[in-house]
Structure formats: C-alpha cells, structure tokens
Amino acid sequence: MKLNLGCGNAKRAGWVNVDKFAGCAPDQIVDLERSPWPWAESSVTDVALIHALEHLGATTDGYLGMIRELWRVAAPDARIEIVVPHPRSDAFLNDPTHVRAITPDGLALFDRALNREWAKTGAANTPLGLQLDVDFAIEKVDFQLTPEWHKRLAAGEVDRAAIDDALRHFNNVCGQIAIVLRAKKPLR
C-alpha cells in the first residue's frame, strides 16, 4: 500500500490519499495525530508527506506518537518522502498552521545507528530511535534554493560552500527541503 498523508488537494494516482479534512475529498479521512492509525502493521511500502508534516505534531507527545505510528505501519525498507518548507523561509514563518520545524538533523534523531554513534562519543543528541524503538535512516536530502539563490549559484556568484554557510545564517536561502527516509525494519 502507498499512502499520501495530508494530501490536501494534491492527490496521487495509485495511492491512498489521506487527509483530516473532508473538503479536499480524500480517499480516507484520518486524523494523523490520533493513534492508532487505521492501517495494519508493516503494510505500507511508500509514504508521501508533501507539505504536511510541518502542520502536525504541535506537542512533543503528538509528534512522537505519529513517528511511532509511521514506524508501525511501515513495511521493511519502506520509503518515506517528506517535503517541507525550510524553517528559515517566509513560507514556513508566515503560515500560522505550521506548528513544527522539520529538518534533516531532527529526523536523524530517529536513526538507531546514529544514536549508537552519538552515545559512544558522548554527543548530547537525543537518541529517539532507541528510546521509541523506531529506526529511520535518511537516504537523501535536497535543499531546494529560492529562485534568487538558485540564480546566484547558476551564475557562479556563489559556490556550494557559500550556500551552505548562508543556509546556517540567513532566511529565504532555501524554500523547501525534500527528504527521503527508509524504514530500517527487519524482514519477518
């Protein structure tokens, strides 16, 4: 099964399009902040959360509960595609329905291998993968630059190192982040 969670009006053919609001005519109406989700354990091979995750999990318990449910329904090696506005973009900051910044570093907290590495080095990162008994590895991250910064990069005015520095210090360098996770779940 493939789930397009928080689909809004962006439906995907061949996927189960899911949203909390009936007005966008999803295939299933589900409040993702309530557990349990209505899908069987290890039944989902692909998940899309396209401009959805930043709207969910205003409380820590709510967010972590959704991560647990995502893990429960994910099949071994399930692919989770996440697209969110960059937390330093006006697109994120101006929308009052955005309740949580989603970043690659924040999602890395759910990777058990990284959790174990951090423990060995005494890092202060919260080992959420081990604490929640979930294991998601980041497969790919794409910082999608705003048109202005993309133009500057293409023109050779800045290089990748300057972009990376700007991402750490300035707003509106990156419009959105596309992240792909894999569920590192054993086959049964």
Side-chain angles (χ1 to χ4, degrees), residues 7-166:
C7 66
N9 293 313
K11 310 296 188 309
R12 288 186 171 197
W15 292 59
V16 178
N17 296 288
V18 178
D19 205 283
K20 178 179 179 179
F21 301 103
C24 60
D27 301 319
Q28 272 187 278
I29 298 171
V30 177
D31 182 348
L32 297 172
E33 294 179 297
R34 292 181 172 248
S35 297
W37 289 354
W39 306 290
E41 184 174 330
S42 299
S43 63
V44 180
T45 60
D46 294 88
V47 175
L49 284 153
I50 310 303
H51 288 285
L53 197 52
E54 70 274 15
H55 296 273
L56 301 166
T59 68
T60 301
D61 287 344
Y63 181 68
L64 297 180
M66 288 188 316
I67 297 297
R68 282 189 197 101
E69 281 301 286
L70 183 60
W71 174 254
R72 184 185 66 76
V73 301
D77 202 39
R79 182 179 189 275
I80 297 98
E81 176 188 6
I82 299 168
V83 178
V84 292
H86 190 281
R88 288 191 181 145
S89 72
D90 288 347
F92 177 78
L93 296 170
N94 292 336
D95 188 334
T97 68
H98 292 166
V99 298
R100 178 169 297 278
I102 305 297
T103 65
D105 288 345
L107 293 171
L109 299 172
F110 302 107
D111 183 324
R112 288 186 205 161
L114 289 176
N115 293 171
R116 289 184 191 101
E117 285 179 36
W118 298 331
K120 286 179 189 174
T121 63
N125 305 48
T126 306
L128 291 173
L130 293 171
Q131 290 175 0
L132 301 176
D133 196 25
V134 303
D135 198 6
F136 294 104
I138 295 176
E139 184 173 276
K140 182 180 176 185
V141 176
D142 180 22
F143 289 95
Q144 298 170 358
L145 301 178
T146 59
E148 174 191 340
W149 282 88
H150 181 73
K151 182 179 173 183
R152 292 180 68 190
L153 181 63
E157 294 174 21
V158 293
D159 62 10
R160 197 68 226 179
I163 293 289
D164 291 343
D165 186 60

